[in-house]
Amino acid sequence: MDAFAKAFIELFNGSWLQGLFGIPDIPATDDAAAVTGAIFKAIFAIILVVVIMVCCLYTVLLERKTAAWAQGRVGPCRTTMPIIAAIPVVGRVLTYCGFIQPLADGGKLFLREEPVPEHVNKFYYCLAPCFALAPAIITLVMMPFSSYIDPETGKETALMLCNMNPGFVFVFAVSSLGVYGTVFGGWASNSKYPFLGSIRSGAQLISYELSMVLSVLPVVLLTSSNPDANPLSLLSIVQEQSGMWNVIFAPLSAILFFVTLMAEMSRQPFDMPESETDTVGGFHTEYGTFKFGLFYTGEYLHMILGSTMFSLLFLGGWHALPFMPTLGLTGVAAAILGIICLIIKILIVLFIIIWIRWTVPRFRFDQVMRVGWQLLLPFALANFVAYVIGIGIYDALLK
């Protein structure tokens, strides 16, 4: 029986929702578990996509508020709705904090007229925004968000859609396909500056991808010290951090991964694909309305997924504190606490990424290449070799 389905059946039987609608108990048979598990995973996938898209909208608000804080401004504080404004106190707070602004921006962006320029390659021009967004959504299936530990049996079930063995390898492989959206968009625009932006994007991805993988390999080595763990699974990597987090064991790896992550997301100071001072806006210069919105959403979705990966690999994932992963809670309460802790860590990483954008000036393209090849790659390689030697000596002499 599928563990995910079995855990859901055990939670559902006897729940308040079952009593409210008078639904009979679901038999814990293999057939029932298979059907129930498939239905629940489909519902979970739809909810996950909707939630992550809403999070993208409000990540834009977080960026605008952080930029306003860094520059001594207020940020969005006026946009509201009549129904919201009529609520005493709450309406004013939501308006001043800008919570209605993302809805107004999204509606304005997606409801405008959408012309297609005559000089573009129409097929790839329309395909590029899909390539920018789809890989980020696909990687959601491999992300564990929390786990449920049965208080009676102690069996742990991860809150994730698919627990593939080479989990983080799949995430890196699929997420790197997002560069095709940038390349297609710049090339299909048949314009000089978008094409320059797309070429920069491809060169930057190649320059920093190797350093990113090398920075994660020490985490794989630390996880492989447990013979029962799968070192390539994101679930196993988080489970091995129930004691001390990897950011303590591998601080240089965490720094290298964070820097390469910003370069992979093309965030300032590494935003070469859309450097306004050099390429007038970069690969999406010829895009507007809905298609530009897809590019924009893909950028912030990659930010959220990158922050999630950093939290899972180095910050203990959904574990609350080192050596106190659930703060003594069990069952559903521990699972909910895990989701809350992971969200807090993601928000902290997002804030740091946005803070750096509005603090550090943009690099030149030659500086970006020099940092990738002459600085990060040697440090990542030396760091990996050091962990190979150190863990080898530990296994040979001290174990």
Side-chain angles (χ1 to χ4, degrees):
M1 182 186 298
D2 183 69
F4 192 87
K6 184 178 179 181
F8 171 70
I9 292 174
E10 292 174 354
L11 287 174
F12 181 80
N13 288 339
S15 66
W16 65 269
L17 186 64
Q18 181 190 18
L20 179 65
F21 293 99
I23 302 174
D25 287 344
I26 300 174
T29 61
D30 290 341
D31 292 338
V35 175
T36 305
I39 294 174
F40 184 67
K41 283 188 176 182
I43 296 173
F44 179 70
I46 295 173
I47 294 174
L48 187 60
V49 171
V50 172
V51 169
I52 203 71
M53 297 303 286
V54 173
C55 290
C56 288
L57 286 176
Y58 283 93
T59 304
V60 179
L61 176 63
L62 176 63
E63 170 129 37
R64 296 182 66 177
K65 283 292 187 179
T66 305
W69 166 75
Q71 299 173 353
R73 298 184 288 107
V74 177
C77 62
R78 296 186 180 184
T79 304
T80 187
M81 299 171 62
I83 299 177
I84 301 297
I87 303 176
V89 182
V90 176
R92 296 191 63 182
V93 171
L94 293 179
T95 301
Y96 185 79
C97 294
F99 282 98
I100 312 300
Q101 186 67 43
L103 302 179
D105 291 341
K108 178 179 67 175
L109 190 65
F110 295 129
L111 294 178
R112 283 180 173 178
E113 183 182 0
E114 188 173 6
V116 177
E118 290 295 330
H119 62 274
V120 302
N121 186 314
K122 292 182 175 55
F123 176 75
Y124 291 106
Y125 177 85
C126 297
L127 185 65
C130 302
F131 263 104
L133 185 63
I137 296 179
I138 293 174
T139 55
L140 289 174
V141 303
M142 301 302 302
M143 295 289 181
F145 297 97
S146 185
S147 65
Y148 169 74
I149 301 177
D150 194 324
E152 298 180 357
T153 63
K155 187 175 181 180
E156 184 174 9
T157 303
L159 184 62
M160 60 189 305
L161 289 172
C162 179
N163 184 20
M164 187 185 298
N165 288 335
F168 85 87
V169 177
F170 176 86
V171 172
F172 284 171
V174 174
S175 61
S176 64
L177 297 177
V179 72
Y180 283 99
T182 305
V183 173
F184 284 165
W187 177 81
S189 295
N190 285 331
S191 181
K192 176 172 61 177
Y193 291 114
F195 182 70
L196 289 175
S198 65
I199 294 299
R200 285 181 171 191
S201 178
Q204 184 170 307
L205 177 73
I206 296 172
S207 301
Y208 286 85
E209 192 80 23
L210 184 57
S211 299
M212 172 179 280
V213 174
L214 287 173
S215 68
V216 178
L217 290 182
V219 174
V220 176
L221 293 176
L222 292 171
T223 307
S224 63
S225 60
N226 182 0
D228 297 328
N230 179 8
L232 298 180
S233 170
L234 285 173
L235 177 61
S236 297
I237 291 174
V238 176
Q239 288 173 337
E240 289 302 306
Q241 298 179 76
S242 58
M244 189 62 72
W245 296 350
N246 285 332
V247 70
I248 305 299
F249 287 128
L252 182 57
S253 294
I255 295 173
L256 291 171
F257 182 79
F258 184 79
V259 175
T260 55
L261 186 65
M262 292 192 62
E264 293 289 308
M265 296 184 299
S266 300
R267 294 288 299 180
Q268 195 164 322
F270 300 99
D271 60 336
M272 291 298 102
E274 51 181 285
S275 174
E276 294 90 348
T277 54
D278 301 334
T279 56
V280 196
F283 63 95
H284 53 59
T285 300
E286 300 290 341
Y287 284 88
T289 62
F290 182 75
K291 295 183 181 65
F292 174 78
L294 291 181
F295 277 122
Y296 204 59
T297 304
E299 176 184 345
Y300 283 93
L301 184 55
H302 276 94
M303 283 177 56
I304 295 174
L305 294 177
S307 302
T308 305
M309 283 293 294
F310 186 84
S311 302
L312 294 174
L313 292 173
F314 295 99
L315 299 181
W318 54 84
H319 295 153
L321 293 171
F323 298 105
M324 297 181 64
T326 62
L327 301 181
L329 300 177
T330 58
V332 179
I336 296 175
L337 174 66
I339 295 175
I340 295 173
C341 291
L342 182 60
I343 291 175
I344 292 174
K345 294 173 184 178
I346 293 171
L347 288 175
I348 293 173
V349 177
L350 279 174
F351 174 76
I352 295 174
I353 292 173
I354 296 171
W355 189 7
I356 290 174
R357 175 185 177 180
W358 297 100
T359 306
V360 180
R362 178 185 292 116
F363 294 152
R364 296 195 311 267
F365 184 65
D366 62 308
Q367 293 173 332
V368 171
M369 293 294 103
R370 189 179 302 116
V371 168
W373 290 107
Q374 297 182 10
L375 184 63
L376 293 182
L377 184 58
F379 269 105
L381 188 58
N383 181 59
F384 172 59
V385 172
Y387 274 91
V388 170
I389 296 174
I391 293 177
I393 293 174
Y394 174 79
D395 290 341
L397 302 179
L398 300 180
K399 263 194 173 183

